[in-house]
């Protein structure tokens, strides 16, 4: 949750609501969120491969980081923090997905995240071929990360990526051919 977490705004529900309102009024700060993320994770700036802290409906905040100690490339997707995130949460109608359905807001958020991170992950997998790709998040971010991992598992060639992709520590997924994104508002 970046800067709000570093400042204690996620400690209690009332503090979170006040922090969310303040963030909505004043806006996010890329620099402050990056600094907070690095402080909370004990990573260095060179470990951050991509950040997108500004959120909007169907565009959750997220980052891609390299964690050398465990040989992971991590896509971390933030959970609901702002009113804009709530709009994504509220898009509850079913979206056809693979052999079933997905939450439409989460599906659109996943498409947005993947459009941004696939080029970053492709380069990272080439530069660090022995690293695993791990998607993680909390709340909205957890749902989005799970759908992202399922999309990659269903559509991308393992030969192209040469990487394990995990949605959680117990769920390894591998990919099989190229993903074609559906028409969505991103």
């Amino acid at each position: 949750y970046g800067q709000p977490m570093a400042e204690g705004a996620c400690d209690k529900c009332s503090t979170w609501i006040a922090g969310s309102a303040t963030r909505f009024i004043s806006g996010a700060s890329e620099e402050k969120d990056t600094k907070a993320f690095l402080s909370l994770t004990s990573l260095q700036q060179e470990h951050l491969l991509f950040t997108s802290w500004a959120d909007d409906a169907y565009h959750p905040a997220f980052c891609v980081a390299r964690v050398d100690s465990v040989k992971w490339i991590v896509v971390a997707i933030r959970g609901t923090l702002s009113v804009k995130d709530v709009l994504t949460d509220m898009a509850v109608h079913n979206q056809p997905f693979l052999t079933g359905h997905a939450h439409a807001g989460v599906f659109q958020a996943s498409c947005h995240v993947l459009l941004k991170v696939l080029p970053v992950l492709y380069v990272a997998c080439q530069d660090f071929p022995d690293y695993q790709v791990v998607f993680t998040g909390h709340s909205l971010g957890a749902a989005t990360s799970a759908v992202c991992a399922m999309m990659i598992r269903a559509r991308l060639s393992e030969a192209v990526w040469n990487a394990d992709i995990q949605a959680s520590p117990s769920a390894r997924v591998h990919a099989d051919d190229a993903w074609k994104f559906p028409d969505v508002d991103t």
Side-chain angles (χ1 to χ4, degrees):
Y1 289 85
Q3 178 188 359
M5 180 175 271
E7 294 175 354
C10 298
D11 293 346
K12 296 188 288 186
C13 185
S14 60
T15 310
W16 177 83
I17 292 168
S20 182
T22 302
R23 190 174 178 88
F24 178 73
I25 293 166
S26 64
S29 164
E30 188 83 17
E31 182 181 334
K32 288 181 181 178
D33 281 336
T34 297
K35 183 178 177 182
F37 178 83
L38 294 173
S39 173
L40 291 165
T41 61
S42 299
L43 294 175
Q44 301 298 316
Q45 181 70 41
E46 63 267 16
H47 294 113
L48 270 179
L49 306 178
F50 185 84
T51 62
S52 178
W53 300 124
D55 60 350
D56 205 348
Y58 311 112
H59 298 177
F62 64 94
C63 69
V64 181
R66 188 182 84 240
V67 184
D68 296 328
S69 61
V70 289
K71 294 189 174 187
W72 285 356
I73 303 297
V74 178
V75 179
I77 306 170
R78 194 186 70 207
T80 303
L81 180 64
S82 72
V83 173
K84 296 172 186 176
D85 293 327
V86 171
L87 296 174
T88 303
D89 290 332
M90 291 175 54
V92 296
H93 57 281
N94 286 333
Q95 168 73 42
F97 178 63
L98 300 177
T99 60
H101 294 88
H103 179 285
V106 169
F107 177 82
Q108 285 195 321
S110 300
C111 289
H112 170 76
V113 169
L114 285 179
L115 285 170
K116 300 289 185 181
V117 304
L118 284 177
V120 176
L121 292 179
Y122 182 79
V123 170
C125 287
Q126 299 304 312
D127 291 346
F128 303 95
D130 56 336
Y131 281 46
Q132 294 180 347
V133 174
V134 177
F135 283 83
T136 190
H138 172 258
S139 183
L140 172 62
T144 303
S145 68
V147 171
C148 285
M150 287 188 285
M151 286 177 168
I152 289 176
R153 178 180 185 217
R155 306 293 183 201
L156 294 175
S157 169
E158 187 175 330
V160 170
W161 287 88
N162 190 28
D164 286 338
I165 298 172
Q166 297 185 13
S168 71
S170 63
R172 278 194 186 176
V173 293
H174 298 279
D176 56 29
D177 62 4
W179 173 258
K180 293 180 181 166
F181 289 94
D183 293 330
V184 294
D185 296 330
T186 55

